[in-house]
Amino acid sequence: MGLSGRRALVTGSSRGLGRASARMLAAEGATVVVHGPAPSDAGAVAAEIRAAGGSAETAAGDLTTEEGAAEVAHQALAGGPVDILVNNAGTYDTLPWSEAIPELWAATYETNVVSGVRMIRHLVPGMRERGWGRVIQLGGGLAVQPMAVQPHYSATLAARHNLAVSLARELRGTGVTSNTVAPGAILTEAVRELLVQEAPARGWGDTWEEIERHATETFVPNDTGRFGRPEEIAAAVVFLAGTHAGYISGATLRVDGGTVRCVQ
């Protein structure tokens, strides 16, 4: 993918999709800055990457504050320029409209949207000056196909998709691209634990194969009949970060098994 010699910051990479993306970027030759809210969280993933023969650094801090984001950017840049920014950090819940109070809407927007904007402002000017860079937002199918629950979360995904396109227009002709990876339902450790807990009450069966099949039919109908794996999202991130994706900007790459049923 032409990533040797490149440096990438993946926010929220101490677990889940961010962790998978950081590991795969490193496997492709990039030096990865692993970010987490605490040094111990980021350090554990960085150690995994180094043990596998990759190159990893760490940055810790709270991206929901101006000071925290500036400190994360400072730590990330200490080892050299950042060529690839993956805005993955975020939060979500499954609350319905009746419980999603305005303060929660504001807090979710701050975490899922404004935090990413902060990192763009800190790191993209350097990419523009050097004439090469990749900015990748982690979005989701709920941005364009929302459900009744999680209205505040879905709205932040829509904002992530939108800002990626606006940024692509801003970066026209600079050598820096801006795109979105939109996952469907992905089988992270937390999701698997939830499904196993829910299985007895919902009659989904006893084996994991039965649970996944029935949960897919109930929660996230798609053309593959299963949940996605974190590595499948990471592969999309790595592709958009690499040299082969230089003619892709302002685009959304859906990795959802066909969950979103529309033509775009």
Side-chain angles (χ1 to χ4, degrees), residues 5-261:
R6 300 296 185 185
R7 300 183 73 253
L9 168 64
V10 184
T11 66
S13 47
S14 59
R15 60 182 179 177
L17 303 184
R19 175 176 175 266
S21 297
R23 287 165 59 95
M24 194 172 289
L25 284 164
E28 287 292 336
T31 295
V32 178
V33 181
V34 181
H35 164 258
S40 58
D41 298 323
V45 177
E48 292 176 358
I49 291 173
R50 295 189 196 108
S55 177
E57 303 166 7
T58 62
D62 181 4
L63 302 181
T64 65
T65 69
E66 294 290 345
E67 296 77 11
E71 177 58 25
V72 169
H74 174 73
Q75 294 175 46
L77 292 168
V82 173
D83 306 296
I84 301 159
L85 169 62
V86 182
N87 274 327
N88 166 75
T91 185
Y92 75 96
D93 55 57
T94 58
L95 295 179
W97 270 93
S98 59
E99 298 179 39
I101 60 176
E103 291 79 6
L104 180 59
W105 279 75
T108 304
Y109 191 84
E110 180 75 33
T111 301
N112 291 359
V113 182
V114 181
S115 292
V117 172
R118 291 190 178 103
M119 301 316 297
I120 288 169
R121 291 177 62 85
H122 281 296
L123 300 177
V124 170
M127 298 180 193
R128 189 199 292 256
E129 289 175 5
R130 295 187 300 275
W132 197 95
R134 301 284 187 264
V135 185
I136 303 167
Q137 312 296 319
L138 264 292
L142 293 175
V144 296
Q145 191 168 284
M147 303 182 294
V149 296
Q150 301 174 285
H152 49 306
Y153 173 61
S154 298
T156 62
L157 292 182
R160 283 191 176 200
H161 285 223
N162 191 285
L163 74 86
V165 177
S166 176
L167 183 61
R169 303 291 89 83
E170 167 67 17
L171 295 172
R172 176 176 180 267
T174 64
V176 184
T177 65
S178 170
N179 294 290
T180 302
V181 173
I186 306 303
L187 192 65
T188 60
E189 293 178 4
V191 169
R192 181 168 183 142
E193 290 175 3
L194 175 63
L195 296 177
V196 171
Q197 291 173 1
E198 291 287 326
R202 296 179 180 271
W204 285 343
D206 300 319
T207 68
W208 171 247
E209 290 73 17
E210 293 174 321
I211 292 171
E212 182 173 19
R213 184 177 70 255
H214 288 117
T216 303
E217 293 171 352
T218 303
F219 285 158
V220 282
N222 64 63
D223 298 332
T224 66
R226 65 174 177 85
F227 284 70
R229 272 41 179 183
E231 292 74 20
E232 293 175 304
I233 305 306
V237 169
V238 168
F239 169 67
L240 289 177
T243 56
H244 301 301
Y247 194 55
I248 302 173
S249 196
T252 297
L253 177 53
R254 294 205 318 256
V255 189
D256 64 3
T259 301
V260 174
R261 300 175 181 275

